[in-house]
Amino acid sequence: MTRETEGALREAFAVPLPHLDERQRRLALGSAARVLGVRRVVRVAESTPCTR
């Protein structure tokens, strides 16, 4: 994943994540991970303030 993609993920989730409960966060981040492909969960976790 490029730095540009990581930055886009950070920006995309910066506003909504604090307003979501745990289940909603996992659903949103999981759907982003599926779109990214290889090593997706690790990449999403590194780009957001959430753990794997």
Side-chain angles (χ1 to χ4, degrees):
M1 177 169 28
T2 65
R3 291 189 193 277
E4 187 176 301
T5 305
E6 287 181 32
L9 277 174
R10 244 183 244 110
E11 281 186 43
F13 289 114
V15 173
L17 280 183
H19 302 284
L20 303 176
D21 63 29
E22 180 70 20
R23 182 172 185 272
Q24 293 167 330
R25 276 193 301 270
R26 289 180 182 270
L27 287 170
L29 294 172
S31 65
R34 290 189 77 172
V35 169
L36 292 175
V38 179
R39 293 186 42 92
R40 55 192 181 244
V41 174
V42 173
R43 297 299 184 196
V44 171
E46 290 173 349
S47 300
T48 61
C50 299
T51 60
R52 293 189 308 174

